[in-house]
Amino acid sequence: MLGHFRYWVLPDHQRRSLEDLQEDLDLSSGDRRAKQSAFWTMLTLSAVIAAGGILTDSTATVIGAMIIAPLSTPIMGVALGAVQRRRSTAVVFVTLGGLLVILIGAVASVVVPQSYDLLSDSQISSRTSPGLLDLISALATGFAGAVALARKDVAAVLPGVAIAISLVPPLVVTGVCAGQTAWWLALGALVLFLSNFLALVFAGMIVFAAVGYTHAAGRRTQRAPRRAYIMLGLLFAAVLLPLGANTVTTVLLDTWTARTKTAAEQWLSHSPGAAVTSVDAQSRTLYVHVRGPRDLPPIDDLLEDLEGQIPDGVHIVVDATRGEQIAAGQVGG
């Protein structure tokens, strides 16, 4: 059954040879000078383009940087080397390349004013709070990329894989946030990159082993690279912890925000012309943005309605559109 499925996904007549795959993924074989020159040139340009797109909040520019970025090549080289149980310089290129991109992001951050709210930039905010869905998407993208590399007839999908997997932008965001001393945001972007990196390596190892590149590498690699899989599993577990915690936190915040909005709408139901425009969460405070007349109901009524709906100790602030804030207090206090 497994053999039929493998043949359906990777037919023998469409399977690339191990030599061809190594030539594409190993930057230290063949014409090394040309390969490495192209890698560093395109990676630098991709990082500069990504920095410009992130700081101007331009999605199209960031997508262009994703297509140019060659970082997935050595990452897949790591997967192939792990399957073959041979030493590879791919890890060195990934590490040095990542540091280069982070440095470019940090240099680009000097143009950002100190008072600038980094989270107001969607290109930054979308990459500093990764969750489990990001890892699942990265795994699917990694399998697509590995299959495209192993087959002769689907190489055209590789630009789409480059767009789907986010490698250079999170590293640029890491540098920008670090340059602004926003260390928690920088850590979130770095975790996103690491999760994508591990997903690519894991998917690549699975596909390359299934194709048979392990056996093609020689008798010394006949046994499955169990140690590599164990190490990768441990790294996955380390990344899953913050991703899982962040996912749970996001779900809880969304739930509490929705409950607060519902309670606030009921709170304003007897105030003609008053409406809740939005509810935002910042730290342990929920900001209820209200548009309406000057006279609003007593804030204690809202706090009473929220008891049992959100955790005790959460602060509620009603913010009127005319610029006046009504400081409420805290639920359960």
Side-chain angles (χ1 to χ4, degrees):
M1 185 69 178
L2 181 60
H4 289 294
F5 178 77
R6 185 177 67 179
Y7 180 80
W8 182 72
V9 176
L10 298 163
D12 291 337
H13 65 283
Q14 292 293 350
R15 192 174 305 172
R16 299 181 65 195
S17 68
L18 176 61
E19 291 73 19
D20 288 342
L21 192 61
Q22 285 181 328
E23 179 65 24
D24 288 347
L25 300 182
D26 191 349
L27 299 178
S28 297
S29 66
D31 191 351
R32 293 182 296 175
R33 178 173 297 181
K35 287 183 179 180
Q36 294 175 16
S37 173
F39 173 78
W40 292 114
T41 300
M42 299 310 293
L43 182 62
T44 302
L45 292 174
S46 172
V48 172
I49 294 171
I54 287 169
L55 294 179
T56 59
D57 203 359
S58 172
T59 302
T61 304
V62 174
I63 290 176
M66 292 178 181
I67 297 176
I68 297 172
L71 204 54
S72 60
T73 298
I75 291 178
M76 283 301 184
V78 172
L80 184 61
V83 166
Q84 296 177 319
R85 295 176 62 188
R86 64 179 176 82
R87 293 183 178 180
S88 173
T89 60
V91 175
V92 176
F93 284 101
V94 174
T95 302
L96 294 180
L99 291 175
L100 172 64
V101 175
I102 291 175
L103 178 62
I104 291 175
V107 172
S109 70
V110 300
V111 304
V112 179
Q114 289 292 332
S115 59
Y116 182 73
D117 182 10
L118 294 173
L119 292 179
S120 65
D121 188 328
S122 64
Q123 299 300 325
I124 293 178
S125 61
S126 63
R127 293 180 172 89
T128 54
S129 185
L132 289 177
L133 287 178
D134 294 297
L135 182 60
I136 294 173
S137 299
L139 277 172
T141 304
F143 279 112
V147 170
L149 286 170
R151 291 184 57 147
K152 302 175 183 178
D153 57 341
V154 290
V157 308
L158 287 176
V161 171
I163 295 174
I165 194 73
S166 191
L167 296 172
V168 167
L171 290 174
V172 172
V173 171
T174 299
V176 170
C177 293
Q180 293 291 302
T181 66
W183 302 114
W184 280 111
L185 296 181
L187 180 61
L190 183 60
V191 168
L192 175 60
F193 168 78
L194 291 176
S195 66
N196 290 344
F197 166 76
L198 292 175
L200 277 178
V201 173
F202 179 78
M205 290 177 65
I206 294 295
V207 172
F208 295 154
V211 170
Y213 292 141
T214 299
H215 303 303
R219 183 175 300 176
R220 64 184 178 85
T221 63
Q222 289 293 320
R223 292 182 302 171
R226 296 179 181 176
R227 183 179 300 177
Y229 282 112
I230 292 174
M231 291 299 298
L232 194 62
L234 293 175
L235 290 174
F236 252 117
V239 171
L240 278 173
L241 289 176
L243 292 182
N246 188 65
T247 300
V248 171
T249 301
T250 300
V251 171
L252 289 176
L253 282 176
D254 289 343
T255 301
W256 297 336
T257 299
R259 290 177 179 177
T260 301
K261 185 175 182 180
T262 300
E265 289 173 344
Q266 294 176 352
W267 174 61
L268 295 177
S269 60
H270 298 296
S271 299
V276 178
T277 57
S278 64
V279 177
D280 300 327
Q282 296 182 19
S283 186
R284 292 181 61 84
T285 302
L286 291 174
Y287 291 87
V288 181
H289 301 279
V290 176
R291 181 184 68 247
R294 180 175 297 274
D295 295 329
L296 295 175
I299 195 67
D300 291 338
D301 294 344
L302 175 60
L303 295 177
E304 184 177 347
D305 292 339
L306 287 173
E307 287 190 12
Q309 298 294 315
I310 61 177
D312 292 345
V314 174
H315 293 270
I316 303 295
V317 174
V318 177
D319 189 7
T321 56
R322 61 179 179 273
E324 177 184 352
Q325 276 193 352
I326 305 176
Q330 64 184 35
V331 177

